[in-house]
């Protein structure tokens, strides 16, 4: 069965994807309306992973994070504040090594603070709470020592930030880096309940507002051509946490009109643009739509998502080559690249997808989320060491390349710390009267308001079934909504051992509304048929899919020395095994073993085949 991404998403109108979600404008006096949610997520602390591939990945991540020394990540922050560092700085992007030319010292600490906060919520382990508390206290000490509210780790202090605002030349990506610090403090407040983090965050945001206020809008918009992370989104988050409208106004000033306006008009202008610069901007549009109900933000976010997932993504859900979007008609020419599918892009596409799902509950968002979660995020971790990929190359015969524990600290190392910490955040959602089961991941949910506990037991994707058991103190009327994935033609559901329903409507929800009692059991079977999915604009090049999984062909380890796939400098991607290999032909005589892409590590592979 040969399918295209467009066929998988067929039938989804703009309204279904949330484009026309809010017809009403913002209030006349400019106040933001109540944030709109069709469904709400559960706190990470309400979900515990049970044994399975995601829990294994989470545990690997946790072990790695506990080997890192916060004082080494804080080294440059203390120097910047005029304080004596307590430990030597880490290598790679955190230092000033000759090969590091992007100047983003401090970004790793922001990611690390986010990941520790998430792991504390996801596991309850006090070791992570202690790290959060320590880092936040140190950042406050740095902020107090500087005296102006700023905290940063640049060797030349505030200069890169101020120069960028003033339209002067500046090294690196200072606002991208600052966003990570903002986000880490936001997560420390949200996931670890750190009130100190909110105080530090508010002062940092006040510095940003004061520094950017004198800058004319046209100059600020020009600055936003450069990568600046999710500054618009995070300033909106500060507004939600503090209630101070000046932060919402700042968030709108950091919304990049050069991208917003064409996307809101449903024009695809992405060719040649840096992918991971654009995606965080669009997350900001989605957040501003949620808060202001301004139609343009919602249209831009939904159209961007639809464009990227339908026209600009590989079978895994990843996108781009050398970190940039390319014309969709050129997909075949990019298969030989060793620098396709940057992991940070998948991290941010999932954040955008989750935000849009909350606003619409459209199942297409959950379908994409599942695809990218397995084939981009779970696939990005070294199953032996917990290290992370930067790119996941489509080049046939290539290997995944992983960072070192202490001498790399790429952007994807930082986002990777978070990726495996927050697997529990999108398995379940709810509204007042419904519980949505979006992902088939072994886990336990505690819904405190309903006095309900739900246990999901499964070996998915190694088996095509999952079992849900409801635990209640008293009966409750509730609708259980089970996702019918786009990749499954027929889902069978039984309740308490009796056949209940057979669904033949992929990319939808199966609703079971009843009065639930303690011990009620729901069994779901989701057959995973094998199929071929064509590369966009190249119907003779296909990926082999099974359920949501991309199946890769194992090509052995010839020419691959032990440890050669662990690298310090991400710029060396493509320099090893640099021998062009023909895309293998897929035919009945082929004897190449096919395995799920997320299980490929330390061996050569192919993701696509010639028919």
């Amino acid at each position: 069965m040969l399918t295209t991404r467009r066929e998988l998403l067929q039938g989804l109108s703009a309204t279904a994807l949330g484009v026309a979600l809010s017809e009403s404008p913002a209030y006349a006096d400019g106040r933001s309306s109540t944030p709109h949610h069709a469904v709400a997520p559960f706190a990470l602390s309400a979900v515990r992973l049970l044994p399975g591939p995601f829990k294994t990945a989470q545990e690997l991540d946790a072990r790695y994070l506990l080997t890192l020394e916060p004082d080494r990540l804080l080294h440059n922050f203390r120097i910047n504040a005029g304080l004596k560092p307590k430990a030597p700085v880490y290598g790679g992007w955190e230092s000033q090594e000759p090969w590091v030319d992007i100047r983003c010292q401090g970004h790793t600490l922001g990611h690390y603070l986010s990941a520790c906060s998430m792991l504390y919520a996801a596991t309850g382990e006090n070791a992570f709470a202690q790290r959060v508390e320590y880092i936040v206290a140190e950042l406050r000490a740095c902020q107090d020592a500087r005296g102006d509210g700023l905290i940063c780790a640049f060797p030349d202090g505030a200069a890169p930030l101020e120069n960028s605002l003033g339209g002067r030349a500046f090294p690196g990506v200072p606002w991208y880096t600052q966003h990570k610090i903002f986000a880490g403090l936001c997560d420390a407040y949200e996931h670890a309940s750190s009130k100190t983090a909110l105080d530090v965050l508010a002062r940092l945001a006040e510095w940003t507002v004061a520094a950017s206020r004198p800058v004319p809008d046209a100059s600020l918009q020009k600055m936003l051509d450069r990568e600046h992370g999710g500054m618009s989104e995070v300033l909106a988050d500060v507004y939600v946490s503090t209630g101070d409208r000046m932060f919402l106004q700042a968030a709108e000033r950091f919304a990049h009109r050069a991208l917003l306006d064409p996307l809101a008009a449903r024009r695809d202008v992405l060719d040649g643009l840096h992918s991971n610069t654009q995606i965080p901007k669009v997350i900001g549009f989605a957040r501003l739509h949620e808060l202001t109900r301004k139609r343009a933000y919602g249209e831009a976010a939904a159209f961007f998502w639809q464009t990227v997932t339908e026209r600009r993504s590989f079978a895994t859900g990843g996108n781009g080559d050398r970190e940039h979007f390319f014309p969709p008609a050129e997909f075949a020419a990019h298969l030989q690249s060793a620098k396709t599918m940057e992991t940070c892009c998948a991290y941010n596409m999932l954040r955008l997808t989750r935000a849009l799902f909350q606003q619409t509950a459209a199942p297409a968002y959950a379908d994409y989320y599942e695809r990218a979660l397995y084939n981009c995020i779970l696939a990005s971790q070294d199953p032996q060491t917990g290290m992370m990929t930067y790119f996941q190359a489509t080049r046939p015969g290539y290997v995944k390349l992983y960072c070192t524990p202490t001498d790399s600290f790429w952007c994807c190392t930082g986002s990777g710390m978070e990726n495996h910490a927050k697997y529990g955040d999108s398995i379940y959602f709810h509204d007042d009267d419904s519980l949505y089961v979006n992902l088939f991941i072994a886990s336990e949910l505690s819904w405190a308001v309903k006095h309900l506990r739900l246990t999901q037991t499964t070996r998915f994707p190694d088996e095509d079934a999952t079992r849900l058991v409801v635990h209640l103190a008293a009966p409750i009327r509730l609708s259980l909504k089970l996702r019918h994935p786009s990749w499954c033609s027929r889902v069978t559901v039984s309740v308490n051992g009796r056949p209940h329903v057979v669904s033949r409507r992929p990319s939808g929800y199966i609703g079971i509304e009843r009065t639930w009692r303690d011990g009620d059991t729901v069994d779901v079977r989701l057959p995973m048929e094998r199929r071929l999915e064509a590369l966009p604009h190249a119907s003779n090049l296909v990926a082999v899919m099974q359920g949501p999984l991309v199946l890769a062909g194992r090509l052995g380890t010839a020419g691959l020395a032990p440890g050669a796939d662990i690298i310090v400098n991400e710029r060396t991607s493509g320099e090893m095994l640099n021998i062009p290999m023909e895309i293998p032909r897929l035919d009945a005589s082929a004897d190449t073993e096919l395995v799920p892409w997320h299980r490929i590590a330390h061996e050569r592979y192919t993701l696509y085949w010639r028919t």
Side-chain angles (χ1 to χ4, degrees):
M1 177 169 61
L2 182 64
T3 60
T4 65
R5 187 68 50 78
R6 182 178 296 275
E7 289 168 339
L8 289 173
L9 295 175
Q10 66 184 348
L12 291 173
S13 66
T15 300
L17 290 174
V19 172
L21 187 147
S22 9
E23 301 293 337
S24 58
Y27 292 121
D29 65 356
R31 290 183 296 116
S32 64
S33 60
T34 301
H36 175 89
H37 281 154
V39 293
F42 288 94
L44 263 177
S45 56
V47 180
R48 291 286 184 265
L49 299 183
L50 299 176
F54 291 97
K55 184 174 177 62
T56 298
Q58 184 185 79
E59 290 173 342
L60 268 176
D61 188 43
R63 286 202 293 272
Y64 168 56
L65 294 190
L66 290 177
T67 68
L68 296 177
E69 300 174 46
D71 283 329
R72 297 189 68 180
L73 293 171
L74 286 159
H75 176 102
N76 285 321
F77 289 91
R78 291 185 63 85
I79 288 180
N80 186 285
L83 302 173
K84 183 179 179 180
K86 298 180 179 180
V89 69
Y90 278 121
W93 285 20
E94 287 302 312
S95 67
Q96 291 184 281
E97 296 178 23
W99 59 272
V100 179
D101 59 3
I102 58 174
R103 186 75 73 83
C104 58
Q105 291 92 342
H107 83 106
T108 306
L109 180 79
H111 285 297
Y112 184 77
L113 182 55
S114 289
C116 287
S117 302
M118 293 171 181
L119 278 168
Y120 171 62
T123 67
E125 291 186 26
N126 284 329
F128 293 108
Q130 292 165 3
R131 297 220 168 188
V132 171
E133 182 179 357
Y134 180 78
I135 291 169
V136 170
E138 283 289 300
L139 291 178
R140 181 171 64 178
C142 291
Q143 194 175 54
D144 290 344
R146 279 191 59 97
D148 60 359
L150 177 64
I151 41 175
C152 67
F154 304 121
D156 44 355
L161 298 164
E162 294 170 340
N163 287 339
S164 64
L165 287 171
R168 298 180 292 275
F170 59 94
V173 283
W175 286 104
Y176 167 92
T177 304
Q178 284 303 102
H179 166 252
K180 311 312 167 197
I181 300 164
F182 269 95
L185 291 166
C186 281
D187 287 327
Y189 175 61
E190 177 183 352
H191 298 298
S193 302
S194 172
K195 292 183 179 179
T196 302
L198 180 59
D199 292 340
V200 176
L201 174 66
R203 290 173 63 192
L204 177 59
E206 288 167 2
W207 182 93
T208 300
V209 171
S212 60
R213 184 179 288 126
V215 180
D217 285 342
S219 299
L220 185 61
Q221 286 293 312
K222 181 62 179 174
M223 186 199 79
L224 299 178
D225 289 339
R226 192 83 167 259
E227 189 170 13
H228 57 274
M231 283 302 303
S232 180
E233 176 206 11
V234 81
L235 286 167
D237 289 342
V238 178
Y239 159 67
V240 171
S241 297
T242 64
D244 193 327
R245 277 196 51 76
M246 74 173 179
F247 298 128
L248 180 60
Q249 293 165 352
E252 293 209 73
R253 291 198 73 207
F254 271 83
H256 194 199
R257 304 292 309 192
L259 183 67
L260 173 64
D261 293 344
L263 291 179
R266 299 185 63 77
R267 288 192 291 114
D268 180 354
V269 293
L270 301 181
D271 287 353
L273 295 184
H274 186 261
S275 175
N276 203 46
T277 296
Q278 314 316 315
I279 305 170
K281 296 177 190 176
V282 180
I283 298 171
F285 300 161
R287 184 62 159 147
L288 288 171
H289 176 250
E290 177 187 36
L291 295 173
T292 69
R293 306 297 294 276
K294 293 179 181 177
R295 183 185 179 95
Y297 291 131
E299 290 181 331
F303 178 70
F304 176 88
W305 182 90
Q306 190 173 19
T307 298
V308 172
T309 60
E310 184 177 322
R311 301 183 60 240
R312 294 180 173 274
S313 294
F314 294 96
T316 60
N319 66 73
D321 186 9
R322 295 179 179 268
E323 306 185 14
H324 287 70
F325 291 118
F326 51 80
E330 298 177 3
F331 257 97
H334 290 270
L335 278 188
Q336 289 286 351
S337 173
K339 296 187 177 183
T340 43
M341 303 192 299
E342 183 189 1
T343 308
C344 273
C345 295
Y347 158 86
N348 275 315
M349 279 301 296
L350 288 189
R351 294 188 70 248
L352 173 62
T353 302
R354 185 173 186 264
L356 293 174
F357 178 79
Q358 288 179 59
Q359 295 186 38
T360 65
Y365 292 126
D367 287 334
Y368 172 80
Y369 196 100
E370 178 184 54
R371 176 191 289 255
L373 189 70
Y374 277 99
N375 300 302
C376 295
I377 303 304
L378 191 60
S380 70
Q381 186 190 59
D382 182 345
Q384 296 176 9
T385 66
M387 295 300 97
M388 299 84 166
T389 59
Y390 193 114
F391 300 110
Q392 295 185 44
T394 52
R395 176 185 287 181
Y398 212 63
V399 295
K400 294 179 184 176
L401 301 176
Y402 301 102
C403 66
T404 62
T406 60
D407 295 312
S408 305
F409 293 113
W410 314 321
C411 54
C412 298
T413 309
S415 58
M417 294 176 183
E418 297 180 42
N419 281 333
H420 312 293
K422 58 175 181 163
Y423 282 129
D425 74 355
S426 295
I427 303 173
Y428 309 102
F429 292 84
H430 69 91
D431 58 27
D432 289 344
D433 303 305
S434 304
L435 173 59
Y436 289 72
V437 180
N438 269 12
L439 298 172
F440 313 112
I441 293 176
S443 54
E444 184 170 271
L445 166 71
S446 296
W447 192 356
V449 172
K450 301 289 187 182
H451 305 287
L452 178 151
R453 186 165 55 87
L454 182 77
T455 302
Q456 181 173 187
T457 306
T458 183
R459 293 186 63 250
F460 186 89
D462 292 323
E463 63 179 20
D464 62 358
T466 191
R467 168 170 285 184
L468 305 165
V469 180
V470 178
H471 308 278
L472 290 162
I476 187 173
R477 187 78 180 176
L478 188 72
S479 178
L480 183 66
K481 295 185 180 294
L482 308 171
R483 184 172 66 91
H484 183 155
S486 60
W487 46 261
C488 183
S489 60
R490 183 175 183 268
V491 175
T492 303
V493 179
S494 298
V495 178
N496 294 330
R498 298 180 179 179
H500 180 78
V501 67
V502 177
S503 171
R504 294 181 173 84
R505 300 184 63 182
S507 199
Y509 284 95
I510 305 165
I512 308 174
E513 186 168 358
R514 68 196 302 269
T515 298
W516 297 91
R517 292 173 170 79
D518 185 54
D520 281 348
T521 301
V522 178
D523 286 291
V524 185
R525 187 162 294 279
L526 312 101
M528 292 189 287
E529 298 175 354
R530 191 167 291 189
R531 66 191 190 281
L532 304 180
E533 183 170 299
L535 188 71
H537 294 273
S539 59
N540 65 320
L541 298 172
V542 299
V544 181
M545 307 289 298
Q546 185 161 328
L549 306 179
V550 176
L551 301 183
R554 302 180 68 174
L555 300 181
T557 58
L560 180 62
D565 50 357
I566 310 298
I567 62 172
V568 173
N569 184 354
E570 86 291 350
R571 305 297 171 90
T572 61
S573 297
E575 293 181 4
M576 57 183 301
L577 299 176
N578 196 14
I579 303 172
M581 174 182 173
E582 286 293 322
I583 298 171
R585 183 169 295 279
L586 186 66
D587 55 41
S589 62
D591 59 359
T592 304
E593 182 184 0
L594 295 174
V595 297
W597 167 238
H598 70 267
R599 293 196 176 124
I600 288 283
H602 308 297
E603 61 181 317
R604 302 169 69 190
Y605 59 77
T606 186
L607 282 172
Y608 278 90
W609 309 81
R610 190 178 302 279
T611 60

